[in-house]
Amino acid sequence: MSKRGLGLFVSAIMLTMLALTGCGGGAKAPEESKAVESSAEQKSEEAKTEESKQAKEKIVVGYAQVGAESDWRTANTESFKSTFVPENGYELIFNDAQQKQENQIKAIRDFIQQEVDYIVLAPVVETGWDTVLQEAKDAGIPVILSDRMIKTSDDSLYTALVCGDFIKEGETAGHWLEDYIKLKGKNHDEKINIVTLQGTIGASAQVGRTDGFANILAKNSNWNMLAKQTGEFTQSKGQEVMESFLKQFDDIDVVVAENDNMAFGAIDAIKAAGKTCGPEGEITVISYDAVKAAFDAMIAGDLNASIECSPLHGPRVAEIIQKLEKGETVEKIQYVDESYFDTSMDLEKIKSERAY
Ligand code: GYE
């Protein structure tokens, strides 16, 4: 039982005891019975106050967020901050770890000390969580993983996980490129030179997207991965790495950026190098997330396609917490259904209907 569950259980026993103290004990003399009645009334009043205090008590959620490295991340933070509000019965303690695991570990320890009811973790990298999550488990605080996953030999260290299926996203990018090359009527043996701007190395979003794309690359013998390097999921690093790729290789056909912001940086670098990109240009650019600015880049003709990844995990995590509060079981691993967008679609319309 969670700490919060245990607390509620103990209170329920107390309430029952308060209600019971006025009853039983055989027949009473009239005065005695009056006194007992009034004390019972008083006690049931106390019980009521206790009950309403409980009703007013907020569910305290500590969120160990990765940082503020991308548009996706900003939308994700906003999703949590607008969901976990007092009007919905929550108190949110938000921590921005500035992309550092050690900061997230410290934040989790602080949450444990503050005796929060739930810990939500968006793990910056996959490994190295067992010790601190064991501490949360020992303290009876359920941990919900959101956005990215972890590698652990003990699945009981987290209660649920909600995120994108990153391998599938990588494969979707690969399939999109296969179709696009066919559409362009390229010769089957024509060499396709690719560079990849990777996310934070060791983040499940990076690992999954890299591996998923590699699965499709393996099926296309004419695809040639020239280089892969991290751009840390940021626009400035993406630009920097793309600048160096353009200096090293003069025959890049495709850039796969493992998020939109790195693609924006890459597009700037391509233009600064006097090259062109997008559906009408020399270099094809594919990215992940599909934030609104990616739609603008596709509409402007700079970006070819963006593979969707939803940042709107606030309500999804709230639903999990509500189920746990009711003692219901939750699905352990929940992948969000995702799609992709490219310049063949009615992007203005789609963009106007999107929340991020
Ligand atoms: O793609 C990127 C962000 O973990 C899915 O992290 C997330 C990724 C997202 O910085 O933009």
Side-chain angles (χ1 to χ4, degrees):
M1 189 182 287
S2 75
K3 221 169 138 196
R4 183 178 164 80
L6 188 71
L8 292 175
F9 179 68
V10 170
S11 308
I13 290 180
M14 276 168 57
L15 287 178
T16 319
M17 279 168 61
L18 281 172
L20 287 179
T21 27
C23 311
K28 301 258 175 346
E31 294 89 322
E32 200 190 337
S33 108
K34 240 192 202 153
V36 168
E37 256 169 43
S38 84
S39 111
E41 255 167 43
Q42 195 195 336
K43 295 232 166 95
S44 89
E45 273 311 306
E46 275 173 37
K48 269 190 207 146
T49 330
E50 175 70 18
E51 235 165 354
S52 73
K53 210 174 94 199
Q54 288 261 328
K56 265 189 248 148
E57 230 174 59
K58 303 271 182 281
I59 300 171
V60 183
V61 177
Y63 183 26
Q65 173 64 295
V66 168
E69 72 282 3
S70 63
D71 286 19
W72 189 100
R73 189 65 54 199
T74 307
N76 178 258
T77 291
E78 173 51 30
S79 175
F80 276 85
K81 286 193 172 167
S82 59
T83 303
F84 292 94
V85 289
E87 302 88 86
N88 292 343
Y90 297 102
E91 186 194 325
L92 179 69
I93 310 176
F94 180 85
N95 183 276
D96 173 340
Q98 303 184 338
Q99 297 233 68
K100 292 201 179 82
Q101 182 174 36
E102 65 207 79
N103 291 348
Q104 289 198 301
I105 291 174
K106 190 182 170 299
I108 293 171
R109 294 208 164 112
D110 287 347
F111 295 154
I112 296 170
Q113 233 176 18
Q114 291 172 76
E115 301 187 334
V116 301
D117 299 311
Y118 294 89
I119 290 171
V120 182
L121 168 64
V124 60
V125 289
E126 290 183 320
T127 54
W129 297 104
D130 285 17
T131 307
V132 74
L133 294 192
Q134 185 64 50
E135 290 168 26
K137 189 180 171 185
D138 293 344
I141 305 173
V143 172
I144 298 164
L145 300 177
S146 168
D147 161 27
R148 296 178 185 172
M149 30 188 139
I150 62 167
K151 268 197 190 128
T152 175
S153 52
D154 182 1
D155 282 352
S156 77
L157 293 180
Y158 64 92
T159 306
L161 158 71
V162 57
C163 68
D165 184 338
F166 300 120
I167 293 183
K168 198 169 156 217
E169 289 177 9
E171 290 177 343
T172 303
H175 287 309
W176 182 89
L177 186 60
E178 280 184 328
D179 292 346
Y180 187 69
I181 290 169
K182 261 187 223 148
L183 206 76
K184 283 251 169 179
K186 290 215 180 200
N187 183 327
H188 211 70
D189 314 313
E190 208 175 313
K191 208 174 199 185
I192 307 287
N193 287 322
I194 308 169
V195 291
T196 301
L197 299 169
Q198 294 177 290
T200 306
I201 299 298
S204 70
Q206 175 274 311
V207 175
R209 288 169 184 174
T210 299
D211 291 354
F213 189 84
N215 291 344
I216 309 306
L217 180 132
K219 294 183 187 151
N220 290 274
S221 54
N222 59 323
W223 292 15
N224 176 34
M225 186 62 74
L226 291 170
K228 290 185 279 204
Q229 198 179 316
T230 183
E232 306 285 352
F233 282 128
T234 69
Q235 187 155 336
S236 57
K237 205 74 209 302
Q239 180 167 350
E240 212 179 290
V241 176
M242 191 63 207
E243 279 163 10
S244 94
F245 281 165
L246 287 161
K247 280 182 197 145
Q248 288 174 66
F249 314 104
D250 56 7
D251 52 355
I252 299 170
D253 299 305
V254 180
V255 179
V256 180
E258 285 180 345
N259 81 344
D260 287 335
N261 288 82
M262 290 191 295
F264 305 152
I267 290 165
D268 288 345
I270 292 168
K271 289 183 177 174
K275 300 212 172 207
T276 56
C277 55
E280 305 296 330
E282 302 150 75
I283 302 176
T284 300
V285 186
I286 311 169
S287 64
Y288 298 84
D289 286 356
V291 296
K292 282 204 171 170
F295 281 78
D296 294 336
M298 285 189 278
I299 292 165
D302 294 330
L303 179 67
N304 292 74
S306 188
I307 314 305
E308 184 181 38
C309 178
S310 170
L312 307 178
H313 293 319
R316 295 182 185 118
V317 171
E319 198 185 314
I320 292 171
I321 289 178
Q322 285 308 319
K323 280 192 180 156
L324 294 173
E325 286 291 298
K326 287 184 208 134
E328 293 172 18
T329 51
V330 295
E331 227 180 292
K332 184 111 182 174
I333 297 183
Q334 304 181 20
Y335 289 126
V336 181
D337 249 0
E338 291 162 341
S339 174
Y340 71 91
F341 305 97
D342 69 15
T343 52
S344 72
M345 301 172 181
D346 186 352
L347 296 171
E348 290 284 7
K349 182 170 178 284
I350 303 171
K351 182 190 158 196
S352 70
E353 290 158 355
R354 288 173 74 75
Y356 59 94

